Amino acid sequence: MPATLKLAEAPAVASEDELRALEQTYCSHGDTVHYTDHPKFFETCEGSYVYDSTGTPFLDLQMWYSAVNFGYRNERLNNAAHRQLDRLPQVASQYLHREKVELAALIARDAEAKFGYKGRVHFNVGGSQAIEDSLKLVRNYTGGKSLMFAFEGGYHGRTLGATSITSSYRYRRRYGHFGERAQFIEFPYHFRGPKGMSKEEYGEYCVQKFARLFESEYNGVWDPKAGKSEYAAFYIEPIQGTGGYVIPPMNFFTGLKKILDDHGILLVVDEIQMGVYRTGKLWSVEHFGISPDVLVFGKAITNGLNPLSGIWAREEMINPTIFPPGSTHSTFASNPMGTAVALETLKMVSENDFGATVMEKGARFLDGLKELQKRHPIVGDVDGLGLALRMEICKEDGFTPDKATLDWMSDEGMKGDMLVDGKKHGLVLDVGGYHKNVITLAPNLMISHSEIDLALNLLDQLLTRAERR
């Protein structure tokens, strides 16, 4: 072992080919980079675009999985980070700083006004870590109950606890037996639900299917003599994220919440991907007229800058007598850089009717997607709420999932060779859905009308290429 760590002897500025060789040798492939054979290098970013080394603009319609809701290099939020960097960039979490306190108060007061409960906020760094904290909170409050309900198609992260309530077996397969894996409940995915039902009828059908679990002790979740459930909480994404931006019927969650309340089961709402105005409201659950017991947030609250996540919970679950100091901890929880940017984010969106603007842009974008659906038979379904939008790619029958075509479209968009007004463009898409055949569209919430038109033009070109190949 050398006495000093030395950088590899390489050119001062390595070429992309040299960097790829280093990456193949020294970087783990355990993250998601190598879902494609030839991952793209990007050099700069601005607003709705990322740029490669040639300066070609790639319109980003996934914005770092909905973490950069307010555009790349957002001047106001970047300035907040710089101010904090120059004043108090680091401090141990056993001490206080004003940004943490002000941010927690802002979130808690807003939640009390909207949900009707006094509560408190606990911070962490990543979304999965906040899910882990929520699991501890729920287990502690319910006397150690460890069983949870969650949805088919739901995604809550890839730490061990978060994976146990995520329905995809592929996230658990390599890591042994998960004895406390959640019981997964059908989500009202209307496009792929029973034929002949309206969206609202299907929502009611799914509610009643869940209610049946409590009809008898022999359904395995309820003891009618004791009036107790074996399950502690139901983890939901109000709009499924990785599951394909599936938007439920508006009547669904009110029926589900009544069953939970009647049987003493907590509702934990995961807002990590849909929170912070992705759907036109601060929290997507606000669209559905229900109040959570616990709400988990992350991602866009810092616009993808210093990571910050957290949980809001009702006072009786999180007050210091039941959740005392040291109940859970992360070194970087409530870090000054993250809390400062998050505080500025919430101030920024409160200064005008930000949600109304998101809804207007989302409606315009969705209308354009519906026009594309009319012209392209491989578009099976489009839907959206705010600027959380979906386009499902199918065979020419308009229903059979076609993952291969969407994978091809995603790679084709990364070539950066589509022409608009004589200028080359690329298109950054994200793939999701139960069958990995859904384009999950999460554009910059500050996207302009001309950029929406550009997005629709580029999608039209990609669909045309896919149908002609």
Side-chain angles (χ1 to χ4, degrees):
M1 178 69 69
T4 58
L5 181 66
K6 295 183 178 180
L7 294 175
E9 294 182 5
V13 180
S15 68
E16 281 194 9
D17 287 342
E18 291 165 333
L19 288 171
R20 287 188 188 281
L22 291 171
E23 195 265 350
Q24 284 291 329
T25 303
Y26 296 112
C27 291
S28 163
H29 288 197
D31 57 17
T32 61
V33 171
H34 287 276
Y35 279 175
T36 58
D37 292 334
H38 201 70
K40 186 76 175 177
F41 272 98
F42 287 112
E43 294 287 337
T44 60
C45 59
E46 184 77 30
S48 295
Y49 298 92
V50 285
Y51 298 85
D52 66 10
S53 59
T54 70
T56 299
F58 287 72
L59 180 62
D60 194 340
L61 296 183
Q62 60 110 323
M63 298 304 289
W64 202 358
Y65 322 121
S66 194
V68 191
N69 280 8
F70 306 99
Y72 290 112
R73 293 172 60 192
N74 180 292
E75 183 176 10
R76 178 167 175 174
L77 301 181
N78 282 14
N79 286 342
H82 283 295
R83 289 194 300 272
Q84 194 67 29
L85 185 64
D86 290 337
R87 189 178 67 81
L88 183 70
Q90 301 122 326
V91 67
S93 55
Q94 72 193 81
Y95 307 113
L96 288 172
H97 56 282
R98 68 169 51 250
E99 293 77 17
K100 170 188 175 177
V101 176
E102 290 178 357
L103 179 62
L106 186 59
I107 292 171
R109 287 170 176 167
D110 179 78
E112 184 172 0
K114 290 171 177 173
F115 304 137
Y117 299 120
K118 184 185 184 303
R120 296 173 187 253
V121 176
H122 180 94
F123 293 110
N124 209 310
V125 184
S128 294
Q129 291 92 331
I131 290 288
E132 296 285 338
D133 286 346
S134 74
L135 286 165
K136 290 179 179 178
L137 190 79
V138 165
R139 286 184 175 209
N140 180 63
Y141 181 70
T142 59
K145 285 185 181 180
S146 58
L147 297 181
M148 310 293 161
F149 290 113
F151 279 123
E152 295 174 359
Y155 178 86
H156 301 286
R158 301 200 199 189
T159 54
L160 285 175
T163 304
S164 74
I165 56 172
T166 293
S167 68
S168 299
Y169 170 54
R170 72 184 180 93
Y171 299 135
R172 294 186 297 276
R173 181 177 61 83
R174 298 176 184 275
Y175 308 114
H177 181 59
F178 282 64
E180 293 173 337
R181 182 171 65 88
Q183 179 164 339
F184 297 108
I185 304 300
E186 182 176 353
F187 191 84
Y189 180 3
H190 184 244
F191 180 64
R192 299 207 171 274
K195 301 307 172 188
M197 290 186 185
S198 70
K199 194 169 185 177
E200 289 69 28
E201 287 171 339
Y202 184 35
E204 180 60 25
Y205 166 83
C206 289
V207 168
Q208 294 308 314
K209 190 174 180 180
F210 178 61
R212 183 179 174 274
L213 295 177
F214 301 90
E215 288 179 354
S216 162
E217 65 180 275
Y218 297 101
N219 293 100
V221 304
W222 177 247
D223 181 351
K225 291 183 179 180
K228 294 185 181 296
S229 173
E230 191 174 14
Y231 285 74
F234 201 137
Y235 274 74
I236 71 166
E237 295 168 286
I239 295 170
Q240 294 198 320
T242 300
Y245 283 26
V246 183
I247 299 167
M250 287 296 171
N251 64 331
F252 174 66
F253 282 118
T254 51
L256 183 76
K257 182 66 161 61
K258 184 178 187 308
I259 296 170
L260 299 179
D261 288 346
D262 288 347
H263 296 91
I265 299 170
L266 300 169
L267 178 68
V268 183
V269 173
D270 180 340
E271 292 280 358
I272 294 164
Q273 187 161 166
M274 290 297 159
V276 198
Y277 283 95
R278 172 55 55 198
T279 68
K281 292 186 182 292
L282 179 60
W283 311 122
S284 64
V285 73
E286 295 175 47
H287 290 282
F288 300 100
I290 58 170
S291 297
D293 297 295
V294 181
L295 186 146
V296 187
F297 60 87
K299 281 189 186 290
I301 201 162
T302 63
N303 202 41
L305 296 173
N306 284 69
L308 187 78
S309 65
I311 55 177
W312 169 89
R314 292 192 288 112
E315 175 74 6
E316 56 265 41
M317 298 181 65
I318 199 172
N319 73 73
T321 63
I322 190 170
F323 205 65
S327 294
T328 188
H329 174 69
S330 169
T331 298
F332 299 101
S334 68
N335 66 86
M337 295 293 292
T339 51
V341 176
L343 189 60
E344 191 67 24
T345 297
L346 296 186
K347 288 178 180 177
M348 180 179 71
V349 297
S350 70
E351 291 171 357
N352 51 53
D353 196 348
F354 193 83
T357 302
V358 171
M359 295 303 287
E360 181 271 324
K361 291 177 181 177
R364 177 189 176 105
F365 208 141
L366 183 57
D367 285 344
L369 295 179
K370 289 177 179 177
E371 288 300 314
L372 293 179
Q373 183 183 25
K374 292 176 184 177
R375 298 205 305 272
H376 296 281
I378 66 171
V379 178
D381 182 56
V382 298
D383 203 356
L385 184 61
L387 280 166
L389 303 152
R390 74 189 312 269
M391 173 183 281
E392 187 150 349
I393 304 302
C394 301
K395 301 289 188 181
E396 290 196 357
D397 63 5
F399 185 75
T400 304
D402 193 349
K403 177 183 182 298
T405 292
L406 180 51
D407 286 344
W408 183 89
M409 289 174 59
S410 182
D411 290 342
E412 191 74 3
M414 298 306 289
K415 289 182 178 178
D417 65 351
M418 289 183 285
L419 293 176
V420 178
D421 297 329
K423 183 177 180 180
K424 289 183 177 180
H425 289 79
L427 190 63
V428 179
L429 301 176
D430 198 27
V431 174
Y434 291 34
H435 305 282
K436 298 301 177 220
N437 69 314
V438 178
I439 303 172
T440 52
L441 298 161
N444 175 11
L445 298 184
M446 294 179 166
I447 191 171
S448 67
H449 286 177
S450 63
E451 288 172 340
I452 292 173
D453 293 340
L454 174 63
L456 294 168
N457 185 321
L458 295 174
L459 284 167
D460 192 17
Q461 290 190 46
L462 271 186
L463 290 164
T464 300
R465 289 186 186 188
E467 289 166 341
R468 291 176 178 173
R469 69 189 177 104

